[in-house]
Amino acid sequence: MSSVVPFTLDLQTSLCIGFALSFMPIAYILSTSLIPSTSTRNRILFFWHAYDAMTHIFIEGSFLYECFTSYITIPAGLSREPFFLGFKDRLYGAAYGTGPSSRLWQEYAKADHRWATADATVISLELLTVFLGGPAAIYVCYLLWKSSSSRATASSKGSAKAKLWLVAPALATAELYGGFMTFAPEWLTDSAQLETGNPVYMWFYLFFFNTLWVFIPLWVLWVAAGEVRAAFAPPHGYPQPPYPQQPGFGGPPPPQGFHQPPYPPQQHPQQHPSSHPPPQRFYHQDQFGPPGQFGPPGNFGGPVGGPPFPPHGPPMGQAPPSMPSLGYVPGQVAPGDFRGEADLLRKAMKGFGTDEKTLIQVLSKLDPLQMAALRSTYTNHIRRDLYKDVKSETGGYLRQGLLAIIEGPLMHDVTSARDAVQGIGTKEWLLNDVLLGRSNADLRAIKTAYDQTFRRSLQKDVEDDLSFKTLTLFSTILRASRNEESAPINPQTIEAEVRSLHGSTAGRAVNHVEEVCGILARSSDNEIRAINHAFSTRYHASLEKHIEKEFSGHMQVALLQMLRTALDPAMRDADLLEDCMKGMGTKDEMLVVRVVRVHWNRDHLDQVKRAYRHKYKKDLIDRVRGETSGDYQRLMIAMLE
């Protein structure tokens, strides 16, 4: 439509434009005041929905007010059907009002003439926008605040997130639908009611003010799709890290070069731990070096340019066995006098109320042997059971975390394994965390302690709880007969395993799962790294991607976790921690288990934090802080610091 009304920037026009834009700084101030700075995306979402709500309620609400209250009277017979509200002698709309809101819509009607009168189609859309869209946008803001608030409980945060990603995409879809229904009639009638000849009306009034409700809702839908996909998708692969690698603790076994500190079993430590800092963990370079640093094809394990390993290594039985991880030898405790810490813990729980901060401060920084010594000291010095006292004085996820620390890594694995198979269904993630990628020594310690604690066989309990192919995988793992890390790599064996892996899966109607499980379950981490490298070299494809393609469900997750444990335990743990927090709601039980597991080894924890920042471009501690609250939050942060 050609321009007939020139644009004039007078005082009234400036006030109208200023009022329409004034909600943006208000929304910005609200977003920065109510949403933590660590969550930029949530701040943007809050800003948009706050601006959206104010626009719908105050600006578009004023349009409805003018449509229903502003009118002129005309002689009967001059108006045409349909008659708005049934009045044959009235013309309704902002064009006939004299107040500030009338002037606002008279200005916008210079670009879209329908907003000057009571257009029934426009009014119908605006009724939905004002009375449903506006409150929905306010509710989204509330959910964003709730899910980001440090005062909210973890369960309420999870509930808020679930509702957020239900309401926000529904509102975004409604915004897009409303915009289409508003302008589609004009596109089909050559923009009969639109003033397209004037560039200000065309690009500022029509394009700018209306396409905001196109591009941003599309972005909201894209974000929501990512949240939903992340909530259900299995963990994905990751690039080789640009940082030096160290094995994890309490998850994968340490390499053969790991040496237990020379702590003799003691029941009555005599020295204060402050005079004996946590023992240093010594790691020797694996035969393969850091993950991803391999020699050329065929030179498995040897240095680049150096001689390869002998074609036939010694039998597995001749390889020196790995030592148990720190805390996996029952009765082993740190030297030192822990009576001061025992007194602090008792004082924190004695009388009315509990000093949770002291419990967190004392328990969160101990290594496994120091924790064992403190628990023994508490029993002998205080004449009470530390585990029972903490259990009776705390609750929720704080209690779960503190009790996991008090148990120590071995007994926490034992109780976790029991929890994974007890009752209806299997906690597959927990079974994976406890059993996959472990050394023979650690697995034997877990099995023995499980049998002694519950008077049951761990192998039988797991086999009774699983079925089909995963039963075969875990049965093989629980035999604790992996090749030791000290065993030399046999290139011919590696090549044969690679061909067997590929032949058992690629191009087959039914995968030979037993063969794949057997290879990964019996291979050492060194051998798995060699297999991964040789597979990529021979077939020009990633073994990880191949597993993702050929397997699904629990089997896929388990095989990938075994592979990632060997390739990059720090990134594996970073991914496992992110899995607890991504998507709709925080998986708090899972988060507690995994934070406790990684906190035992401070060197490995540092690697996990670096890996997390490398992949997710954010700080792990800030991420956990945003997903937790209260004393539960303080415990998680204390363990990660």
Side-chain angles (χ1 to χ4, degrees), residues 51-108:
Y51 176 69
D52 188 40
M54 288 186 284
T55 300
H56 289 334
I57 293 172
F58 294 111
I59 295 183
E60 291 168 283
S62 70
F63 169 75
L64 291 179
Y65 173 80
E66 294 298 331
C67 287
F68 284 96
T69 61
S70 297
Y71 63 89
I72 60 171
T73 303
I74 60 174
L78 292 182
S79 62
R80 298 179 180 178
E81 293 184 355
F83 304 113
F84 186 66
L85 301 181
F87 290 101
K88 299 180 180 180
D89 59 344
R90 294 180 182 180
L91 292 178
Y92 283 85
Y96 311 114
T98 57
S101 59
S102 298
R103 181 65 186 88
L104 174 70
W105 286 104
Q106 289 166 13
E107 180 64 30
Y108 181 75

Side-chain angles (χ1 to χ4, degrees), residues 17-182:
I17 295 174
F19 178 71
L21 296 175
S22 65
F23 295 129
M24 287 188 175
I26 296 174
Y28 174 78
I29 293 171
L30 289 173
S31 68
T32 55
S33 301
L34 298 176
I35 306 299
S37 59
T38 54
S39 184
T40 303
R41 187 197 66 180
N42 282 4
R43 277 193 171 183
I44 296 173
L45 285 168
F46 188 99
F47 165 80
W48 165 249
H49 286 94
Y51 176 69
D52 188 40
M54 288 186 284
T55 300
H56 289 334
I57 293 172
F58 294 111
I59 295 183
E60 291 168 283
S62 70
F63 169 75
L64 291 179
Y65 173 80
E66 294 298 331
C67 287
F68 284 96
T69 61
S70 297
Y71 63 89
I72 60 171
T73 303
I74 60 174
L78 292 182
S79 62
R80 298 179 180 178
E81 293 184 355
F83 304 113
F84 186 66
L85 301 181
F87 290 101
K88 299 180 180 180
D89 59 344
R90 294 180 182 180
L91 292 178
Y92 283 85
Y96 311 114
T98 57
S101 59
S102 298
R103 181 65 186 88
L104 174 70
W105 286 104
Q106 289 166 13
E107 180 64 30
Y108 181 75
K110 294 176 182 178
D112 190 335
H113 304 317
R114 293 173 296 172
W115 263 258
T117 60
D119 184 289
T121 300
V122 173
I123 291 174
S124 299
L125 290 170
E126 292 292 10
L127 285 169
L128 293 175
T129 300
V130 173
F131 292 104
L132 292 181
I138 293 175
Y139 186 53
V140 169
C141 290
Y142 166 76
L143 293 174
L144 286 164
W145 169 79
K146 190 75 172 178
S147 63
S148 304
S149 174
S150 60
R151 296 190 296 271
T153 64
S155 59
S156 63
K157 282 186 177 183
S159 176
K161 280 188 175 182
K163 294 173 184 176
L164 170 65
W165 296 116
L166 176 66
V167 178
L171 176 60
T173 303
E175 304 273 17
L176 292 170
Y177 177 78
F180 179 82
M181 293 303 296
T182 299

